């Protein structure tokens, strides 16, 4: 089937109390790996790329890869721009065929975040593309952006105002997760999540899920998270398998051999995450 938007996917997740896994893909093997996991578990799936991935290969290449994966798939697949940095990148992704857009103005003051987000929702709503935006600051380093220490969590009242003002389809919340590997166990502010959920009806998104214990992710889904983003653990899985293969076979020169090893490791990883999200069997 052709690519679908994240709108119906996330609304269904919200209504049936599970989350869709959103997986950052950085090459063809990762796209194939994520699709294989989704098909094995009959799970709806979101593949997403950051601005730096687009800088590396171009939006058309990712669209081509994800379209090829989706066209004969037995599960719905969406292609999402993750942490879109500006309006022109949103336009570029939409033109390439992305079916979901994130505009991340979370590093800006509230009114500027509203302004840039509204500009993107105006563009996207005219062509039926849903928009995710972020309020509050997820810590750590995402792509080329680094949040400072002690950054603000999402304020529930501000979240309500932000959703009303922007017309977004989903909201990424800052409740104690961070991008990249954690030092120690992350402590999620689950009460805050419940408070946000009470005031906001659009599906909520959890960023920085790599390294968050499965039980904490599951509890956040019970409290309203409908999309869970994983990047770092997939990178580590892919690169770890490639590294091991090359170390074990130093004479190896065929990229297909180590690519296959990376692909298989990512499929295992994604299946594990899908089970945590509760999206297995939901397609
Ligand atoms: O937007 C992508 C993510 O929030 C992924 O975070 O790298 O910590 O898994 P992660
Ligand atoms: Zn993120």
């Amino acid at each position: 089937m052709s690519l679908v938007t994240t709108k119906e996917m996330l609304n269904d997740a919200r209504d049936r109390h599970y989350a869709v896994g959103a997986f950052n893909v950085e090459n063809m093997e990762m796209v194939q790996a994520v699709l294989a996991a989704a098909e094995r578990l009959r799970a709806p799936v979101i593949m997403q790329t950051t601005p730096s991935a687009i800088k590396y290969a171009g939006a058309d290449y990712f669209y081509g890869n994800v379209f090829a994966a989706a066209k004969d798939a037995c599960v719905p697949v969406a292609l999402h721009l993750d942490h879109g940095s500006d309006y022109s990148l949103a336009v570029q992704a939409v033109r390439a065929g992305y079916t979901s857009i994130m505009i991340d103005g979370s590093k800006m003051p509230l009114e500027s975040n509203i302004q840039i987000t509204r500009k993107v929702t105006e563009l996207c709503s005219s062509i039926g593309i849903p928009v995710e935006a972020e309020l509050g600051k997820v810590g750590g380093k995402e792509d080329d952006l680094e949040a400072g220490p002690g950054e603000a969590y999402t304020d529930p009242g501000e979240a309500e105002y932000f959703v009303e003002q922007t017309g977004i389809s989903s909201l990424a919340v800052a409740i104690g997760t961070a991008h990249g590997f954690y030092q120690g166990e992350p402590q999620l502010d689950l009460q805050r999540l419940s408070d946000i959920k009470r005031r906001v009806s659009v599906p909520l998104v959890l960023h920085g899920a790599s390294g968050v214990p499965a039980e904490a992710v599951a509890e956040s889904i019970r409290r309203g998270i409908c999309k869970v983003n994983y990047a770092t653990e997939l990178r580590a899985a892919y690169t770890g398998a490639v590294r091991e293969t090359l170390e074990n076979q130093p004479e190896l020169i065929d990229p297909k051999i180590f690519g296959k090893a990376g692909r298989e490791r990512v499929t295992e990883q994604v299946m594990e995450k899908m089970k945590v999200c509760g999206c297995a069997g939901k397609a």
Side-chain angles (χ1 to χ4, degrees):
M1 66 178 87
S2 55
L3 294 173
V4 301
T5 77
T6 51
K7 177 109 185 161
E8 300 76 24
M9 263 187 198
L10 297 187
N11 287 347
D12 185 67
R14 179 193 56 200
D15 297 346
R16 295 205 282 159
H17 310 291
Y18 66 92
V20 181
F23 302 97
N24 285 73
V25 289
E26 304 191 80
N27 60 16
M28 179 191 74
E29 287 78 6
M30 292 176 87
V31 170
Q32 293 173 320
V34 173
L35 182 76
E39 289 202 299
R40 272 185 224 170
L41 294 180
R42 297 209 73 97
V45 68
I46 299 166
M47 297 200 214
Q48 54 189 21
T49 65
T50 57
S52 77
I54 290 178
K55 199 162 153 202
Y56 170 68
D60 289 340
Y61 267 89
F62 284 110
Y63 175 77
N65 274 278
V66 176
F67 177 79
K71 84 176 163 47
D72 296 321
C74 63
V75 294
V77 180
L79 175 57
H80 175 76
L81 172 65
D82 187 32
H83 292 285
S85 43
D86 53 50
Y87 183 77
S88 66
L89 189 61
V91 172
Q92 195 188 324
V94 164
R95 283 209 179 120
Y98 280 53
T99 57
S100 181
I101 299 291
M102 177 182 187
I103 177 71
D104 184 356
S106 62
K107 311 282 180 292
M108 300 172 175
L110 177 63
E111 290 305 326
S112 311
N113 190 359
I114 289 173
Q115 211 175 29
I116 178 70
T117 302
R118 196 189 285 142
K119 198 169 166 204
V120 173
T121 55
E122 276 166 9
L123 163 79
C124 290
S125 64
S126 64
I127 47 172
I129 300 288
V131 175
E132 173 185 329
E134 181 170 320
L135 186 64
K137 297 182 184 72
V138 174
K141 188 170 183 349
E142 171 63 33
D143 212 26
D144 297 332
L145 297 169
E146 186 147 24
E151 297 285 16
Y153 288 1
T154 307
D155 176 80
E158 223 168 70
E160 186 178 357
Y161 173 69
F162 185 76
V163 172
E164 272 167 19
Q165 292 294 310
T166 56
I168 51 171
S169 302
S170 58
L171 177 70
V173 293
I175 55 163
T177 55
H179 294 112
F181 289 118
Y182 291 91
Q183 286 171 344
E185 196 170 299
Q187 300 302 322
L188 305 196
D189 188 344
L190 293 165
Q191 185 53 51
R192 179 180 298 271
L193 174 58
S194 297
D195 295 343
I196 297 167
K197 167 75 182 157
R198 257 193 296 283
R199 301 182 73 146
V200 164
S201 63
V202 296
L204 302 177
V205 180
L206 188 69
H207 280 246
S210 290
V212 178
E215 184 40 46
V217 174
E219 183 56 30
S220 75
I221 294 168
R222 285 192 280 277
R223 291 173 185 245
I225 292 293
C226 303
K227 171 176 180 268
V228 182
N229 284 10
Y230 294 100
T232 301
E233 282 186 279
L234 267 62
R235 285 180 162 188
Y238 182 81
T239 306
V242 169
R243 187 175 286 125
E244 275 167 35
T245 307
L246 291 173
E247 273 170 9
N248 293 338
Q249 302 174 68
E251 73 297 343
L252 183 65
I253 59 160
D254 184 346
K256 297 190 291 302
I257 308 287
F258 60 78
K260 187 164 180 266
R263 190 165 66 186
E264 284 166 1
R265 189 74 62 84
V266 171
T267 295
E268 285 163 26
Q269 177 81 251
V270 170
M271 284 172 67
E272 206 180 286
K273 301 304 183 192
M274 285 176 160
K275 288 175 189 161
V276 173
C277 289
C279 55
K282 296 292 197 298

